[in-house]
Amino acid sequence: MTERVRRRSSPLALAVLGVALSATVVPLLYLFSVSLMGRGETVSGVLWTTDPQWANWGDVLGSNIPRSILNSLLAALGGAAVTLVLALPGAWAVARYRTGGRTLGATLMSPWLLPPIVAVVPLLTLLRILHLNNSLVGLTLVYALANLPVAVWLLEGFVRRLPSELEEAARIDGASEFRTLAAVIAPLLAPSLVAIGIIVAILNYNEFLLATFLTQSADTQTFPVALSLFYGDRTPHFGKIAAAAFIGVIPVFASAVFFQRWLVGGLTQGAVR
Amino acid sequence: MADAALVRPRRPSGHRRREAWAHRLFVSPIVLAIVVLGVYPLLFILAAAFSDSSLGKPFREWVGTSNFETILADADVVASFWRTVAYAVAVSFVSVVAGVLVAVALERATHAGSVVRTVLLLPLITPPVVVGTLWKLVFNPGGGLLDTLLQGTGADAASVAPLSSTVWALPAIGLADVWQWTPLVALLVYAALLTQDPAVREAAALDGAHGLRLFGHITWPAIAATVAAVFFIRLVIALKVFDLPFIMTSGGPGQASTTTSYLIYQVALKEFDIGRASAITLVFAVVVTAVSLPVAAITRRLAHD
């Protein structure tokens, strides 16, 4: 009975994947194609320009888009870092010691159920009182708190799967709760923390609604906000809009390709065990 | 974990108390997050809904239920609720079906490597503002991808402009929405499929179960709870949709693609009427709860089976 049935890919499965792959890739390639088109070509019905215009890319790189991408990266990474630092102890206490009990567990994800538009006006008022409105620091703090429940929720599952023997050993050695957390738990959870950090950073980078209201001046605008303002002209230049959109996606796509092992692995691995 | 508590050696109670305080300290940022992003906005909105409030000067005067009377008598507001709920149910259904198909195909296609998985995830991590831009370009009348392809088939001489059609604007936004979020469904269901014991499937296959029978008796029971949970998540995301109507149609033409989130944005930040916007928000919260509770209940029942 050691012989296993060798599985072969079914033709139907390959067909479904083929359709899914083209449905995913074609629109993205079209965006790239339009980004190289001159003004006339975008309305002439050509799918691929014979005379690529890198001028659109040059114009976008000379605009405030690079600055906005930098702003987005700062808020996304800063927010994710703070989220992780706060989420790890929280998730540990909730998963191992049921700190906060059923109430905390039940209310944890409740803010997520409401449209974020609900929080915009109250947050704007709060940040104005703290003199943090229209600043990247304010936006970063809002992102850090906004994703904390999601990060704790994801992390809880990983904490539960850790064997508790190592913590016990540390405790018997007389380590404090802080030491146990920093020296035992954090290293064990490092791969999960990376995966969750990437997810949270991408969520931050892509966030639009809060950023529109919390960063209004040109030097604090994030990328989604700057891109949305590209439609301001009465006759928008589609080539330039596409170039801006494409350039802004590069950091996220690059990190996804670079971190794909952690991103997919981190989410699916937990389930495999 | 109960067993952890049992294993732990006896300690002086002072130590125990210090540990408990450390744990409370650890969860305090979570409590802060819930207060700042949940409790405080909710109280703010409750107070604003029952008062005459503008963006600059909130809570000017207590007006009782008049904001609620105004919005419930406003056909545009009520229509936005129905529109949003219909939209959310439709896009959730389509992306869950498509996502399950892709997940099952991924698991059955043994040659699909990490490159395929990464490419399939790209829409999920594309900023919604870019997704909106992308599909706006695809739907661009006279030169967009859709128009060019349709002209190529010679089916219709007139150019197609779904985003300026009162009938097609919302389905067009829905297509962009499905494109963006189907990968999330596929990812979560795929993860659930990987937890299956392959031996069970192989045994069933040896007994002659194939295709639909295999799916119905072996695969579906293994993923049903996950699919229900994913449908719930997908529904909540779709009920909140804002970025896509904002970028693609600005809620138009007319009110054809004004979702409730977009309507709240218009009332609060274009008309500066925080009182009315808050009242819409509260009523919408009731609508969201009414729509998502049954799904949450089914999810819970399946998870406990």
Side-chain angles (χ1 to χ4, degrees):
Chain A
M1 288 293 283
T2 50
E3 215 168 296
R4 296 189 58 183
V5 182
R6 245 192 93 72
R7 293 179 52 212
R8 268 177 299 158
S9 304
S10 83
L12 187 63
L14 292 178
V16 170
L17 281 188
V19 171
L21 275 175
S22 37
T24 305
V25 171
V26 168
L28 289 169
L29 283 180
Y30 180 67
L31 183 70
F32 179 69
S33 166
V34 174
S35 81
L36 298 177
M37 287 183 189
R39 214 185 184 116
E41 286 173 305
T42 57
V43 289
S44 67
V46 289
L47 294 183
W48 191 261
T49 174
T50 44
D51 170 31
Q53 305 257 318
W54 289 97
N56 292 338
W57 284 58
D59 288 350
V60 167
L61 292 175
S63 71
N64 65 334
I65 288 287
R67 175 66 201 261
S68 73
I69 292 175
L70 181 69
N71 287 341
S72 273
L73 286 173
L74 287 174
L77 297 174
V82 178
T83 298
L84 286 184
V85 167
L86 299 179
L88 175 64
W92 187 52
V94 168
R96 281 279 201 260
Y97 306 101
R98 292 181 164 272
T99 311
R102 289 176 67 96
T103 326
L104 191 64
T107 48
L108 186 61
M109 291 300 285
S110 54
W112 181 74
L113 289 173
L114 282 180
I117 188 98
V118 173
V120 166
V121 175
L123 279 181
L124 201 60
T125 315
L126 183 69
L127 287 180
R128 211 180 274 155
I129 296 168
L130 298 171
H131 295 288
L132 284 172
N133 59 319
N134 203 11
S135 80
L136 277 179
V137 176
L139 188 69
T140 306
L141 288 177
V142 169
Y143 283 169
L145 285 185
N147 287 315
L148 189 54
V150 188
V152 169
W153 184 65
L154 288 171
L155 205 49
E156 245 188 291
F158 292 109
V159 173
R160 290 231 167 83
R161 250 170 257 132
L162 283 184
S164 55
E165 286 82 4
L166 288 166
E167 292 161 71
E168 298 310 326
R171 202 168 278 117
I172 288 161
D173 287 347
S176 71
E177 297 297 286
F178 290 93
R179 282 249 3 210
T180 312
L181 192 61
V184 181
I185 306 296
L188 285 174
L189 284 175
S192 319
L193 286 171
V194 173
I196 294 167
I198 299 164
I199 293 165
V200 169
I202 291 174
L203 285 175
N204 291 344
Y205 187 89
N206 294 351
E207 200 282 331
F208 172 59
L209 183 68
L210 294 170
T212 321
F213 297 106
L214 305 183
T215 64
Q216 272 153 356
S217 63
D219 56 335
T220 56
Q221 269 165 15
T222 63
F223 165 70
V225 179
L227 180 63
S228 75
L229 296 175
F230 253 63
Y231 290 101
D233 300 341
R234 281 185 57 177
T235 48
H237 188 313
F238 292 126
K240 272 187 204 166
I241 292 174
F246 204 90
I247 291 169
V249 167
I250 290 173
V252 209
F253 281 13
S255 65
V257 170
F258 189 73
F259 289 112
Q260 57 91 7
R261 234 155 32 97
W262 283 275
L263 196 64
V264 182
L267 282 168
T268 52
Q269 200 176 27
V272 174
R273 250 179 263 169
Chain B
M1 286 222 150
D3 48 341
L6 289 175
V7 173
R8 202 181 313 162
R10 284 177 169 272
R11 296 289 195 81
S13 65
H15 209 104
R16 187 59 66 79
R17 216 176 301 138
R18 217 176 312 139
E19 276 181 13
W21 274 107
H23 300 152
R24 264 169 231 153
L25 181 68
F26 290 163
V27 297
S28 58
I30 308 176
V31 176
L32 181 71
I34 294 172
V35 168
V36 170
L37 290 140
V39 179
Y40 159 69
L42 209 59
L43 292 178
F44 187 103
I45 276 170
L46 259 176
F50 290 98
S51 64
D52 179 16
S53 289
S54 72
L55 189 54
K57 289 191 186 129
F59 325 124
R60 270 188 300 204
E61 198 192 333
W62 177 261
V63 294
T65 56
S66 87
N67 280 323
F68 291 96
E69 285 156 26
T70 317
I71 62 149
L72 289 175
D74 186 339
D76 283 348
V77 175
V78 177
S80 90
F81 292 150
W82 288 114
R83 189 181 299 126
T84 307
V85 170
Y87 171 89
V89 171
V91 296
S92 305
F93 187 75
V94 174
S95 40
V96 166
V97 171
V100 169
L101 265 177
V102 172
V104 172
L106 259 182
E107 206 247 346
R108 296 284 153 86
T110 43
H111 299 297
S114 62
V115 177
V116 172
R117 286 199 299 265
T118 310
V119 170
L120 287 176
L121 279 183
L122 290 181
L124 184 59
I125 59 171
T126 306
V129 173
V130 173
V131 174
T133 303
L134 167 57
W135 286 92
K136 196 177 163 130
L137 293 173
V138 170
F139 293 133
N140 173 25
L145 181 61
L146 179 72
D147 187 50
T148 308
L149 291 180
L150 286 179
Q151 300 292 324
T153 62
D156 201 327
S159 64
V160 282
L163 294 181
S164 28
S165 142
T166 48
V167 177
W168 291 106
L170 202 57
I173 292 173
L175 184 59
D177 200 327
V178 167
W179 185 80
Q180 169 142 53
W181 291 106
T182 298
L184 178 71
V185 180
L187 177 72
L188 296 175
V189 175
Y190 178 65
L193 282 171
L194 291 183
T195 63
Q196 277 184 106
D197 186 354
V200 174
R201 241 251 316 280
E202 279 163 19
L206 283 177
D207 287 346
H210 285 293
L212 274 181
R213 274 181 63 106
L214 186 67
F215 182 82
H217 290 290
I218 306 293
T219 313
W220 179 251
I223 58 171
T226 307
V227 172
V230 173
F231 187 83
F232 174 69
I233 294 171
R234 184 67 193 91
L235 189 67
V236 173
I237 293 173
L239 284 167
K240 299 196 284 194
V241 68
F242 171 79
D243 315 45
L244 295 177
F246 182 96
I247 294 292
M248 292 173 73
T249 59
S250 305
Q255 302 263 314
S257 61
T258 302
T259 60
T260 304
S261 280
Y262 191 77
L263 180 74
I264 297 169
Y265 156 80
Q266 275 184 322
V267 174
L269 297 135
K270 289 277 162 72
E271 298 170 22
F272 305 118
D273 192 340
I274 300 299
R276 212 151 57 84
S278 301
I280 301 174
T281 306
L282 283 182
V283 177
F284 187 54
V286 175
V287 173
V288 170
T289 313
V291 173
S292 52
L293 263 189
V295 184
I298 294 169
T299 307
R300 211 168 302 134
R301 187 168 328 141
L302 282 172
H304 287 287
D305 268 355

